Structure formats: C-alpha cells, structure tokens
Amino acid sequence: MTSLLNPFSVSIDPRSGDLAPDRNVQERHLSDMPRHYLDASARDDDPLVYAVHQIDVPATSSNLLSSTTTLYPGKVGLEYFMTKGHFHKVRDRAEIYYSLAGEGRLVMATEEGEVRVEEMRPGIANYVPGGWSHRSVNVGDSPLVFYAIYIADAGQDYATIEDKGFPVVIVDSGSGPTAVENPRFSRS
Ligand code: S6P
Ligand code: ZN
C-alpha cells in the first residue's frame, strides 16, 4: 500500500516569490535560453531572467505540484524577459497560474498553432487547459511573481518550443506590449 504524505504548509512571499522553507530553486540566465529570443545577441551580459521555487512532491497523478516563478523585468532587444515555455510531457495535464505581483502576459498555443494571450496581474488566475503550451512574459518594470499548480506527473517538454517557437512574440512596440507574429515560428 502506498504510504500517505504528511500534510505541510509553506509560506510564500508574494513580492519575491521566495518560499519558507525554500527547497528547490532553479535559476535561468539568458545564456540558458540561446534559442528562445529572436535576437539573443542583443545583449552582451548574462542577466538572471527568472527563478522557479518548487514545492516538491512525488511526481504521481494523485499529487499536486506547485511552484512560484519570479520573472525579472528586462528586455532582449524588443522582447520582454520571458520563460522558456513548454508543453507538458503528459499533454493533457492542465495548470493554473495565480499572479501575486507585477504585470505580465501568458502566451498559450496548441500544437496546431492556435494561440491565446491572457493578462497576468495580481488577483487574476489563468487556466491553462491540457494541450496548450505556455510561456509567461514580464511586461512591467518590477518582478512578475506567480504561483503555479499542476498535476505532479505532468513533466515539461521544452524541446518542441525550442525547435518551433510560439506563433507570437511579445515586444515593446513603443506604445506598450504587443503580440506580433513570430517570424521563426514553424507549424507542425
Ligand atoms: C510548470 C509551470 C511553471 C514553469 C515556470 C518556468 O509546469 O508551468 O512552474 O515551469 O514558470 O517556466 P519554464 O517554461 O521555464 O518551465
Ligand atoms: Zn507548465
């Protein structure tokens, strides 16, 4: 018989995304994302783009995995700082994002290239249905912090996005954040 997990509680700092106790933190610098921005050579430094603080549980379909993401403000050329973005390995696994601080856009796309862009800001919960890849983008000038919850066996498929990209990219058009067609997007 599977043994039960013990109940636990975690404290979340909504401004920084830090957890207490903090367990598993993954940092992504610009150099970790060589194929994600249209013009990665637009910067010659290697800023920290985002950090993910994960509350680990066994990766089974009966557990809920959750994490905070702290996505820093900044740009690479005209593109705002963003996460790598992924499909779930188990494609039908859905996810909920709840924003705690900052202002962002959540770009979602199906494998057929259907795309949706939703606002992220404190008080908004975004529902990412199964089958939709997802990437968050910080369009403000302070950290975008959100809490994500999903079925723990979902896994992440990063390769599909690295190869094909998203159908749109979010750029600073001069009059604010704008979704424009991604010239490098390739349909399956
Ligand atoms: C996991 C969930 C988030 C992201 C995080 C970083 O399914 O969607 O916790 O992992 O926002 O994004 P990425 O695309 O680098 O995993
Ligand atoms: Zn996800």
Side-chain angles (χ1 to χ4, degrees):
M1 186 186 143
T2 337
S3 59
L4 290 176
L5 287 184
N6 286 324
F8 62 86
S9 303
V10 176
S11 145
I12 301 175
D13 180 335
R15 298 237 156 256
S16 66
D18 289 349
L19 306 177
D22 219 349
R23 298 147 199 244
N24 173 354
V25 184
Q26 181 148 55
E27 293 190 332
R28 297 282 188 210
H29 289 80
L30 186 55
S31 56
D32 298 315
M33 308 175 68
R35 299 178 63 200
H36 297 80
Y37 291 94
L38 288 177
D39 183 12
S41 65
R43 293 182 71 132
D44 51 17
D45 56 349
D46 188 20
L48 175 62
V49 179
Y50 61 101
V52 180
H53 302 246
Q54 186 161 293
I55 301 171
D56 286 321
V57 291
T60 69
S61 62
S62 45
N63 287 310
L64 295 173
L65 190 50
S66 67
S67 59
T68 57
T69 299
T70 307
L71 178 54
Y72 294 99
K75 278 184 231 161
V76 180
L78 296 179
E79 278 182 285
Y80 296 94
F81 277 11
M82 62 190 185
T83 57
K84 288 183 167 192
H86 57 267
F87 284 95
H88 288 155
K89 259 188 201 147
V90 182
R91 282 292 195 269
D92 71 351
R93 295 307 195 230
E95 180 157 12
I96 288 173
Y97 280 6
Y98 184 69
S99 294
L100 302 172
E103 189 197 351
R105 297 289 182 273
L106 177 56
V107 181
M108 291 169 279
T110 63
E111 292 193 271
E112 289 70 41
E114 198 178 336
V115 66
R116 293 280 192 290
V117 180
E118 298 285 331
E119 275 190 38
M120 299 176 77
R121 63 185 147 76
I124 293 190
N126 304 108
Y127 188 76
V128 183
W132 289 77
S133 58
H134 37 289
R135 161 180 287 163
S136 44
V137 183
N138 185 344
V139 300
D141 48 22
S142 60
L144 171 68
V145 181
F146 61 92
Y147 182 56
I149 308 166
Y150 56 103
I151 300 167
D153 68 352
Q156 282 82 29
D157 160 17
Y158 291 105
T160 305
I161 296 300
E162 275 183 43
D163 290 347
K164 299 175 190 293
F166 277 81
V168 297
V169 292
I170 308 294
V171 298
D172 181 358
S173 62
S175 55
T178 309
V180 298
E181 220 172 280
N182 178 2
R184 298 223 301 253
F185 176 66
S186 73
R187 256 162 227 286
S188 348

